[in-house]
Amino acid sequence: MGPYCSNDNLAQLPSASMDGIIGTWSPSIINSVGTTTYTFVPNPGQCATINSMTISVYQSPTANTPPNLYQVNPSGFGNFDLTTQIPSIIGNQTNVSVSFYPSYSDAVAGTNVITTPSSFTNTMNPQTIAVRVTNNIEGCYS
């Protein structure tokens, strides 16, 4: 199982194996950042042995909210360099990358990325842009 990211829905470990062996896990829930060994102890009377596995949970990066970008333009539309917001978005995090999306749902799905964030023209006024901050080593994102 795993590895997981800290913002994943981390599940309780199952009380039955794929072979129908019933028992308990210690600890029973995957809920901490780091590498943890989980031990399965079968209930008495079953032809099974104690088994362990190691699961890693990586810390997801943080996406800070940057200040708003404004432009005075009678048409209500303008060209923006979204990349100027990256230092505010990532703060002091390293080994992360930032992608910009037209909606939160696109950012979560990783689809419809804004391909030219250094020259983005808004399509509505006002317009909210979503970001996805990805850890370049583990692949976790926020």
Side-chain angles (χ1 to χ4, degrees):
M1 297 180 77
Y4 295 100
C5 298
S6 61
N7 63 348
D8 289 344
N9 282 331
L10 302 176
Q12 182 169 345
L13 293 166
S15 60
S17 73
M18 293 174 65
D19 297 324
I21 304 297
I22 308 294
T24 57
W25 285 96
S26 179
S28 62
I29 299 174
I30 304 169
N31 67 355
S32 60
V33 171
T35 300
T36 304
T37 300
Y38 295 83
T39 303
F40 182 77
V41 178
N43 290 349
Q46 299 178 87
C47 185
T49 59
I50 295 173
N51 196 359
S52 296
M53 69 177 162
T54 301
I55 299 174
S56 295
V57 177
Y58 300 117
Q59 181 65 50
S60 296
T62 301
N64 301 310
T65 302
N68 291 332
L69 292 175
Y70 295 97
Q71 191 176 94
V72 177
N73 188 324
S75 71
F77 298 95
N79 193 273
F80 295 89
D81 183 355
L82 303 177
T83 64
T84 63
Q85 300 290 67
I86 292 175
S88 296
I89 294 167
I90 65 171
N92 63 358
Q93 298 173 96
T94 58
N95 295 314
V96 296
S97 57
V98 177
S99 302
F100 297 89
Y101 297 85
S103 72
Y104 175 77
S105 59
D106 285 334
V108 170
T111 58
N112 203 21
V113 66
I114 295 172
T115 57
T116 55
S118 60
S119 181
F120 173 76
T121 301
N122 60 310
T123 57
M124 63 184 78
N125 186 11
Q127 183 168 3
T128 300
I129 300 297
V131 299
R132 180 173 173 144
V133 179
T134 303
N135 180 304
N136 297 328
I137 298 170
E138 287 94 17
C140 297
Y141 64 89
S142 291

